[in-house]
């Protein structure tokens, strides 16, 4: 289950490593998408590539943790240059 900005919905529907089961526009204009995948790791890396304002993973908790771990690895790589 994930939320995305309206501009990112097309990428979620057509470019994500998921099979979209449903999509619903929420009151704030964002989209709630329920999807399934065979690889949580792949989805985590894909979601990171969408940036901080476009995708919010709601569940499963394991996927949320994978996204957080990937973000930490990226942050660690860039900290060495600041």
């Amino acid at each position: 289950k994930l939320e995305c900005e309206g501009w990112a919905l097309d990428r979620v529907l057509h470019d994500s490593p998921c099979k979209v089961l449903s999509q619903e526009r929420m009151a704030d204009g964002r989209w709630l998408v329920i999807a399934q995948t065979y690889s949580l790791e792949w989805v985590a890396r894909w979601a990171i590539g969408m940036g901080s304002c476009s995708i919010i993973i709601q569940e499963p908790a394991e996927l949320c943790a994978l996204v957080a771990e990937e973000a930490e690895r990226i942050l660690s790589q860039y900290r060495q240059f600041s």
Side-chain angles (χ1 to χ4, degrees):
K1 187 187 285 188
L2 60 90
E3 291 180 29
C4 69
E5 301 282 344
W7 63 266
L9 181 63
D10 188 59
R11 297 234 9 231
V12 171
L13 297 177
H14 301 290
D15 298 337
S16 70
C18 302
K19 177 183 177 185
V20 173
L21 303 176
S22 68
Q23 63 194 50
E24 176 184 337
R25 188 178 180 122
M26 299 185 301
D28 65 0
R30 295 173 59 85
W31 288 84
L32 177 64
V33 178
I34 297 176
Q36 68 182 92
T37 186
Y38 62 89
S39 174
L40 293 179
E41 292 82 8
W42 192 3
V43 174
R45 290 186 185 104
W46 174 83
I48 287 287
M50 293 293 291
S52 64
C53 65
S54 59
I55 301 289
I56 298 173
I57 305 292
Q58 292 184 350
E59 56 184 53
E62 180 183 358
L63 180 54
C64 297
L66 288 170
V67 172
E69 290 168 11
E70 185 70 13
E72 286 293 331
R73 281 191 289 276
I74 292 168
L75 183 59
S76 162
Q77 290 174 341
Y78 281 93
R79 277 194 175 135
Q80 66 182 327
F81 299 112
S82 59

